[in-house]
Amino acid sequence: MADRFDYLVVGSGAAGLSFALAVAEHGSVGVVTKKESAESNTNYAQGGIAAVVDKADSVEAHVQDTLIAGAGLCDEEVVRLVVQEGPRRIAELEAQGADFSKRGKALHLGREGGHSAHRIVHAADATGREVERTLLDQARAHPNIQLFEYHYVVELITEHHLGEVVSRDKPARHCYGAYVLDEDAGQVHRVLAKVTMLATGGAGRVYLHTTNPAIATGDGIAMAYRAKARIANMEFVQFHPTSLYHPDADSFLISEAVRGHGALLRNTDGERFMPSYDERAELAPRDIVARAIDDQLKQRGDAFVYLDITHESRDELMGHFPTIYEECQSHGLDMSTDLIPVVPAAHYVCGGVVTDVDAQTSIHGLLACGEVTYTGLHGANRLASNSLLEALVLSQRAVASALRQAGERSFEDAVPEWDDSGTEYPAEWVLVSHNRDELRRVMWDYVGIVRSDHRLRRAMRRTRLLYEETEEFYRKSKVSVPVCELRNMIAVAYLIVRSASVRKESRGLHYSTDYPQPVESERHPTFI
Ligand code: FAD
Ligand code: SIN
């Protein structure tokens, strides 16, 4: 690959691609992505994109729904800005060729938990696939964009690589590009950039059960943390209430849009339980529904609850939810006649790399956008379908920052090539797979939907041990994706545990049995 680009984009989901397309009008763009280009959280998004496109809806209503879900921790200015810009981004996507579901000529709007109106723009139940296809088609055709699949960013390049000490007291000030592993060749490239855009997505894989695909190992958050960029709100991990419970289903998501379509939650005796937890019942925000399910499972000793949409006909369900219908069918379940066994699974990290509304991080030359970030939009709990919206809006706002910073920077030729002298091909791979499994189980058992000081202390002790073992392994080994990912997952786990430990209250997605109520003096983001 080339050794320099004006704009280096890490990640080919909605955030990375829509930014790449915009800055490609102004300079050379390299997009690196660690698997096939489409493999991203974006590609699996089902429900849709929240946007005020119906005349009967209002910006104010969407803002208020977002603030309520965020449980007092959203930045209202950011919320307003993102909500206001949503409709324009939807129109742009349509102009670029996205084929969203329609009723007549108008967009068909779905409904999801926490929304007071039908406002979810969608492409049946595979919205992310349509967004990803639209953006990728254009990126592939753009003369200024080069796409590098199976290229893994190992580390952001900062002053640390020029021999300066980077520490908590002396954080990196500049980003000069990234070290990129060509996975097929096994070679690490030094790639210089005037501006690096971190669009690496989420970290659901840190948990044993997750709706996220394998790419979601939190690499961007971990790399930014090592460069001592500001990180915030990592305790707020969203558990989606309804992932399919089946030994072969790998936590396949059953979209909230199914509940928006009238599906009810029942326990294994067939009793509907949500109305006794919240007056909004199945359409309460996700944290409430996930905790209610968790409570039912613990009280009753059950392994799952049921989602019931058997009041709908097969044709209706196949029309609205073709992907989900097919997946259920492949496991012997007919949604129109069978109850669907579901459990919560880790879905979305509301915290991440701190940016302003123009995608600027605390490091010059490093922008960030999408699920990797903390912008203030989601607060203590993300409102359904607000994350694709955030990625699409912030990636466009990032353009002005990118152009300005690129104008202020030149390529830093003093950056050395990657040095792997003294390392060897590792023989003990079992350590990597064992530590990865252990980490994911520790996070699931001790840092899940319901937490306590005792469990968090345990998790911290285990995480520290895993960190020490893995760092030693990393230092001795030739660089490889599994080891880098494990290292990053451990860093993200540490950030979640540490942030959860300092929050002495329950709010939004963070629930502690030791501090079961919200506390006004704790109503602020957790910055690291
Ligand atoms: P992603 O789309 O995850 O892209 C990240 C990219 O970074 C990938 O290309 C990945 O390969 C690459 N990458 C990561 N690390 C590295 C590295 N070290 N080197 C190189 N490349 C790297 N949100 C909604 O708003 N509406 C929905 O309906 C919805 N449904 C969802 C359903 C599911 C099953 C899931 C998992 C999520 C859903 N979400 C939804 C959340 C939403 O999809 C994501 O938050 C959003 O798509 C994130 O976009 P992104 O561009 O930030 O990251
Ligand atoms: C879903 O379709 O339920 C997921 C929506 C989201 O995560 O925003």
Side-chain angles (χ1 to χ4, degrees):
M1 72 182 293
D3 76 340
R4 60 195 62 207
F5 295 94
D6 293 321
Y7 305 99
L8 176 65
V9 182
V10 191
S12 56
L17 290 177
S18 69
F19 173 78
L21 284 164
V23 286
E25 303 309 316
H26 306 278
S28 60
V29 182
V31 179
V32 290
T33 190
K34 66 176 167 177
K35 278 200 168 189
E36 300 87 15
S37 302
E39 193 57 13
S40 56
N41 274 5
T42 299
N43 205 41
Y44 294 88
Q46 293 184 354
I49 310 168
V52 180
V53 294
D54 185 358
K55 286 200 177 63
D57 194 6
S58 71
V59 165
E60 195 53 37
H62 190 176
V63 167
Q64 288 309 321
D65 292 346
T66 304
L67 295 176
I68 291 169
L73 276 198
C74 299
D75 181 331
E76 186 167 343
E77 212 176 301
V78 176
V79 175
R80 271 185 200 287
L81 190 145
V82 172
V83 167
Q84 266 160 4
E85 290 191 21
R88 205 168 332 139
R89 298 284 91 85
I90 297 291
E92 270 169 20
L93 267 180
E94 284 196 286
Q96 289 171 329
D99 187 12
F100 294 123
S101 298
K102 303 259 176 17
R103 178 163 287 164
K105 283 198 176 141
L107 287 166
H108 179 268
L109 300 174
R111 174 114 187 245
E112 290 180 332
H115 286 277
S116 58
H118 281 77
R119 69 164 71 96
I120 314 297
V121 177
H122 64 108
D125 62 352
T127 311
R129 200 157 63 210
E130 184 58 12
V131 170
E132 185 70 23
R133 181 200 63 76
T134 303
L135 296 173
L136 254 185
D137 281 355
Q138 291 179 82
R140 285 192 171 119
H142 202 294
N144 282 357
I145 298 180
Q146 288 183 61
L147 205 52
F148 300 93
E149 297 188 330
Y150 288 94
H151 279 64
Y152 180 88
V153 171
V154 177
E155 211 63 279
L156 298 168
I157 301 174
T158 66
E159 283 85 359
H160 169 74
H161 301 95
L162 294 174
E164 280 187 35
V165 173
V166 167
S167 66
R168 205 178 289 177
D169 300 330
K170 207 165 169 271
R173 299 178 306 283
H174 300 98
C175 177
Y176 306 114
Y179 288 113
V180 181
L181 171 67
D182 175 341
E183 295 177 43
D184 293 333
Q187 190 190 349
V188 178
H189 299 277
R190 177 198 76 158
V191 183
L192 301 180
K194 291 180 183 160
V195 169
T196 303
M197 165 55 88
L198 202 55
T200 46
R205 285 272 150 181
V206 164
Y207 285 89
L208 187 59
H209 302 292
T210 175
T211 63
N212 290 192
I215 54 101
T217 51
D219 298 345
I221 299 173
M223 289 189 286
Y225 171 62
R226 284 196 290 272
K228 306 289 182 277
R230 291 187 91 200
I231 310 285
N233 273 15
M234 290 298 291
E235 67 272 41
F236 296 112
V237 177
Q238 185 169 73
F239 290 80
H240 197 291
T242 55
S243 78
L244 183 58
Y245 178 82
H246 188 282
D248 303 329
D250 196 17
S251 301
F252 176 81
L253 181 74
I254 309 289
S255 174
E256 197 153 311
V258 178
R259 271 177 286 135
H261 207 78
L264 303 177
L265 284 161
R266 300 187 185 282
N267 62 26
T268 47
D269 285 334
E271 292 154 359
R272 191 177 170 208
F273 56 84
M274 271 318 297
S276 63
Y277 289 90
D278 192 283
E279 60 186 13
R280 292 160 291 182
E282 279 80 1
L283 288 180
R286 264 175 212 176
D287 55 330
I288 294 167
V289 182
R291 264 199 305 280
I293 295 175
D294 188 65
D295 188 50
Q296 285 286 310
L297 301 183
K298 286 191 174 131
Q299 269 190 44
R300 300 170 53 85
D302 288 339
F304 56 83
V305 297
Y306 284 119
L307 191 65
D308 177 3
I309 189 143
T310 53
H311 64 276
E312 284 292 5
S313 70
R314 184 169 305 160
D315 285 351
E316 175 82 4
L317 292 172
M318 284 171 74
H320 280 283
F321 307 111
T323 316
I324 299 172
Y325 190 90
E326 207 176 289
E327 178 75 18
C328 287
Q329 203 174 37
S330 75
H331 300 295
L333 295 165
D334 179 343
M335 290 170 77
S336 67
T337 52
D338 297 323
L339 302 183
I340 310 164
V342 290
V343 282
H347 184 61
Y348 186 89
V349 183
C350 291
V353 182
V354 176
T355 73
D356 65 10
V357 286
D358 298 315
Q360 301 184 101
T361 69
S362 53
I363 299 177
H364 199 259
L366 179 67
L367 304 180
C369 183
E371 193 168 337
V372 69
T373 61
Y374 162 84
T375 61
L377 173 67
H378 306 310
N381 182 21
R382 175 179 68 98
L383 184 66
S385 287
N386 263 1
S387 55
L388 283 173
L389 174 70
E390 182 185 46
L392 294 168
V393 170
L394 270 291
S395 58
Q396 296 311 295
R397 294 190 60 89
V399 176
S401 311
L403 299 187
R404 191 178 52 257
Q405 294 198 7
E408 292 161 7
R409 312 282 305 269
S410 51
F411 295 110
E412 182 50 87
D413 282 300
V415 171
E417 297 292 339
W418 183 257
D419 179 9
D420 66 354
S421 52
T423 59
E424 291 172 5
Y425 289 103
E428 291 283 327
W429 279 109
V430 65
L431 180 133
V432 178
S433 55
H434 175 91
N435 282 4
R436 190 177 168 116
D437 292 348
E438 189 179 335
L439 181 80
R440 297 182 72 199
R441 188 165 284 285
V442 164
M443 291 301 286
W444 184 256
D445 288 343
Y446 301 145
V447 202
I449 297 171
V450 174
R451 300 159 179 178
S452 70
D453 280 351
H454 180 66
R455 289 181 193 180
L456 291 175
R457 276 196 299 273
R458 263 189 183 192
M460 188 56 102
R461 277 200 299 272
R462 302 290 198 281
T463 309
R464 190 160 289 146
L465 197 61
L466 292 170
Y467 167 77
E468 282 162 12
E469 285 177 8
T470 307
E471 281 303 297
E472 193 189 340
F473 192 84
Y474 172 79
R475 272 195 301 276
K476 288 185 188 158
S477 311
K478 293 248 177 275
V479 73
S480 70
V481 174
V483 180
C484 290
E485 283 187 342
L486 174 60
R487 218 180 152 223
N488 292 335
M489 289 163 74
I490 291 171
V492 169
Y494 164 75
L495 290 168
I496 296 172
V497 177
R498 184 170 150 199
S499 306
S501 305
V502 299
R503 186 166 289 283
K504 303 295 183 204
E505 63 161 355
S506 290
R507 183 183 295 279
L509 298 162
H510 174 74
Y511 184 84
S512 164
T513 52
D514 295 310
Y515 317 98
Q517 299 300 327
V519 175
E520 188 51 27
S521 59
E522 294 282 307
R523 194 164 71 82
H524 50 75
T526 310
F527 287 107
I528 293 183

